Amino acid sequence: SGQPTMEEIGRRQSMERVQSMVRMRSLMSGAFLDAMEETPSGAAKEVSYEPPPREATPPSLSKRTAPSAPGKPTTGDKGIQVIAQDLGDKRVEALLHPAEGGGSILEVMAKGFGSGELIFHWGVIESPGAGWSNPLAEVQNNSWPTKTKTFPGANQTTFSQKEADGFRRVLITFPSKFKVRSVNFVLHEPPKGWHKPGNDFCAEWPQDESLFKVAADR
């Protein structure tokens, strides 16, 4: 007979179901693409993520500045010469000056030592027969041209470079509250050069303060 068999009907229904699913997927894909192309007012906008800007480095940390060098004390032409010593072709001199506001300034001058590092290696003598000692921190910090480095019983201050008169200098300011009998020292050219006239150099303070007044009134 001309009627389809059950097998044919099943195959046809299966094909119709497959075609229906294909059409549905096609419609869904098209609708999705259309929705992506539309930009309704309520549609969500694309969001991009940008990391927050880094905070600026605080000025106090952006640049670390080295402590400023102490200023050169004013001595003028007044002073008492306490050392004038030749060491072959080299010369060492020391003068004591009255400091502004009281106290004293020890000026040590060296000539003929070249331009390499030259160190004033020294200690304070506070009483007759006493050994080298370290001064107050105030004295260490007010030396020129560099702050003084301290070691057990000794101190070191680096000389300036040669000035117009040919001398290299170190100036140490002692406040009036710090009593000094003398400063003993040698000159050191690293690594192994040590210069002294037999015994250590000895710059003695006048025990009569009126001598400083005389020097200041010259």
Side-chain angles (χ1 to χ4, degrees), residues 117-124 132-135 139-141 143-159 170-172 183-191 193-194:
E117 186 178 19
L118 181 63
I119 295 173
F120 179 55
H121 182 84
W122 59 284
V124 172
W132 288 26
S133 64
N134 302 112
V139 175
Q140 300 165 18
N141 294 333
S143 59
W144 182 90
T146 63
K147 292 183 179 181
T148 293
K149 296 179 180 179
T150 61
F151 305 90
N155 315 275
Q156 290 190 344
T157 312
T158 302
F159 274 84
V170 160
L171 291 99
I172 312 290
V183 166
N184 288 15
F185 65 92
V186 298
L187 302 190
H188 177 41
E189 287 184 288
W194 295 93

Side-chain angles (χ1 to χ4, degrees), residues 18-208:
V18 170
Q19 291 173 355
S20 176
M21 291 175 64
V22 170
R23 285 196 299 271
M24 184 176 294
R25 289 184 178 180
S26 177
L27 289 173
M28 290 176 64
S29 298
F32 176 76
L33 292 175
D34 290 343
M36 290 293 290
E37 291 176 358
E38 293 177 359
T39 54
S41 59
K45 295 182 180 180
E46 182 179 356
V47 178
S48 61
Y49 173 76
E50 294 183 3
R54 296 179 61 184
E55 294 184 3
T57 303
S60 60
L61 299 179
S62 61
K63 185 178 181 181
R64 296 184 182 274
T65 56
S68 59
K72 185 177 182 180
T74 301
T75 57
D77 298 327
K78 301 171 181 178
I80 303 171
Q81 189 166 49
V82 291
I83 292 176
Q85 178 75 51
D86 289 320
L87 299 173
D89 59 350
K90 299 174 173 62
R91 184 167 180 81
V92 178
E93 297 184 12
L95 290 90
L96 289 171
H97 303 271
E100 295 181 0
S104 56
I105 299 171
L106 172 63
E107 178 182 20
V108 180
M109 304 182 293
K111 181 184 284 187
F113 289 87
S115 59
E117 186 178 19
L118 181 63
I119 295 173
F120 179 55
H121 182 84
W122 59 284
V124 172
I125 306 298
E126 298 182 9
S127 60
W132 288 26
S133 64
N134 302 112
L136 299 171
E138 180 181 347
V139 175
Q140 300 165 18
N141 294 333
N142 287 332
S143 59
W144 182 90
T146 63
K147 292 183 179 181
T148 293
K149 296 179 180 179
T150 61
F151 305 90
N155 315 275
Q156 290 190 344
T157 312
T158 302
F159 274 84
S160 70
Q161 286 300 312
K162 185 168 65 175
E163 298 188 334
D165 60 0
F167 281 97
R168 300 175 66 174
R169 283 177 167 80
V170 160
L171 291 99
I172 312 290
T173 301
F174 294 89
S176 57
K177 63 185 177 183
F178 189 70
K179 301 303 179 183
V180 183
R181 184 173 185 86
S182 66
V183 166
N184 288 15
F185 65 92
V186 298
L187 302 190
H188 177 41
E189 287 184 288
K192 296 182 179 180
W194 295 93
H195 305 278
K196 60 180 182 178
N199 295 322
D200 299 341
F201 289 101
C202 180
E204 290 190 84
W205 263 242
Q207 298 307 300
D208 185 350

